[in-house]
Amino acid sequence: MGRAPCCDKANVKKGPWSPDEDAKLKSYIEHHGTGGNWIALPHKIGLKRCGKSCRLRWLNYLRPNLKRGGFSEEEDDIICRLFVSLGSRWSVIASQLPGRTDNDVKNYWNTRLKKKLLGKHAKGAEAKGDDNGGITGSPQQPAPIDHVRHELDGRFYIDAANHGSSSVMPSTVPCLVSSWLQEDSGGQALQCLNDLTTELDEILRFNSLMYSSMSDATASI
DNA sequence: AAGCCGCCCAACCGCTCTTCG
DNA sequence: ACGAAGAGCGGTTGGGCGGCT
């Protein structure tokens, strides 16, 4: 049984916020604060919105001192560097950019920065005669690695379930791989693992190239 | 002029983490 | 120690808009 929903979905309005709703929310929070309880907030104001929706609207749009408009080169650089070291920890990355929200940063990364960097990497790879360009496979040839990963995921999942755990500790992975290899009669598992190793190498190589691309870009500013 | 397509971004969804009784 | 409720977060979706054919 899943947890109870945070609000009565049947009686909650969804979709874009009206100027009237914005005004009510903004005015209330400016005068009374959030009260530390977003769930109760919409009822106090008389808004037919989910508390989570109010929180998001305030944080991403109504909050004072928010920066609108394009990101600067300096912000690009900060996002890239933090993404390389932290991964998709958007809230942490956004905290280093005054006036920007995690949603802003996430959207900006997904829609522009990622393409910008991948384009730079693809160009670099092309210049070096690397026709692969991406992380794995090619458009014409779907990566066979998918079914391999599925196989591995399935086995890890089953093992986790058997041990009553929701995840597999890294230390158990070698044991699982070892037992799988023992069951492997046709050499398929071995081939799959070789493929996975190759893919991991490619990912590491890609990360390294991406970081050097960003360093070049930073140096040229 | 109209239809199509891709991009952008606001908002939602579902999950994990934290707090509190 | 445990479970419920709220807060926070990251991934994903869908509608609006502009450019292209």
Side-chain angles (χ1 to χ4, degrees):
Chain A
M1 199 171 87
R3 55 178 300 172
C6 68
C7 51
D8 178 7
K9 295 196 175 184
N11 288 317
V12 159
K13 188 184 168 193
K14 287 189 194 176
W17 281 65
S18 67
D20 185 46
E21 288 175 311
D22 279 348
K24 277 184 181 174
L25 181 60
K26 195 171 182 210
S27 164
Y28 184 89
I29 294 178
E30 279 174 354
H31 286 98
H32 304 94
T34 65
N37 188 343
W38 286 105
I39 303 295
L41 198 92
H43 301 111
K44 290 180 188 169
I45 311 173
L47 286 176
K48 288 193 169 185
R49 290 279 181 176
C50 173
K52 287 172 78 171
S53 180
C54 293
R55 174 183 163 272
L56 210 65
R57 186 64 178 171
W58 170 254
L59 291 178
N60 289 338
Y61 196 83
L62 299 174
R63 185 160 56 107
N65 303 323
L66 277 180
K67 250 190 221 174
R68 314 299 301 177
F71 282 67
S72 66
E73 287 288 322
E74 190 187 354
E75 286 174 315
D76 278 11
D77 183 54
I78 292 170
I79 295 169
C80 290
R81 285 178 183 281
L82 289 176
F83 184 84
V84 168
S85 56
L86 298 172
S88 55
R89 305 278 305 278
W90 303 120
S91 58
V92 180
I93 296 173
S95 70
Q96 303 304 309
L97 299 167
R100 301 294 188 184
T101 69
D102 55 348
N103 213 31
D104 278 343
V105 175
K106 182 171 59 181
N107 281 332
Y108 183 59
W109 171 264
N110 285 330
T111 57
R112 299 193 208 173
L113 264 187
K114 193 161 69 176
K115 286 173 195 167
K116 192 170 147 186
L117 289 168
L118 286 173
K120 194 176 172 61
H121 169 230
K123 274 184 188 170
E126 210 174 300
K128 289 173 188 169
D130 177 2
D131 63 358
N132 195 10
I135 300 173
T136 64
S138 68
Q140 294 81 13
Q141 188 184 13
I145 212 76
D146 285 349
H147 85 270
V148 179
R149 186 183 290 109
H150 184 70
E151 279 278 337
L152 282 170
D153 284 350
R155 283 176 179 268
F156 289 173
Y157 177 79
I158 289 162
D159 183 80
N162 288 342
H163 289 83
S165 154
S166 61
S167 63
V168 179
M169 293 301 289
S171 60
T172 69
V173 172
C175 303
L176 290 167
V177 169
S178 167
S179 67
W180 189 26
L181 284 172
Q182 280 173 9
E183 296 166 21
D184 182 33
S185 54
Q188 194 193 5
L190 186 61
Q191 179 58 44
C192 289
L193 286 170
N194 282 336
D195 289 347
L196 269 181
T197 307
T198 307
E199 186 185 4
L200 281 172
D201 284 345
E202 284 177 355
I203 290 168
L204 290 172
R205 188 168 58 86
F206 169 76
N207 282 345
S208 153
L209 279 168
M210 192 162 90
Y211 187 78
S212 63
S213 298
M214 286 186 294
S215 299
D216 292 349
T218 309
S220 68
I221 291 170

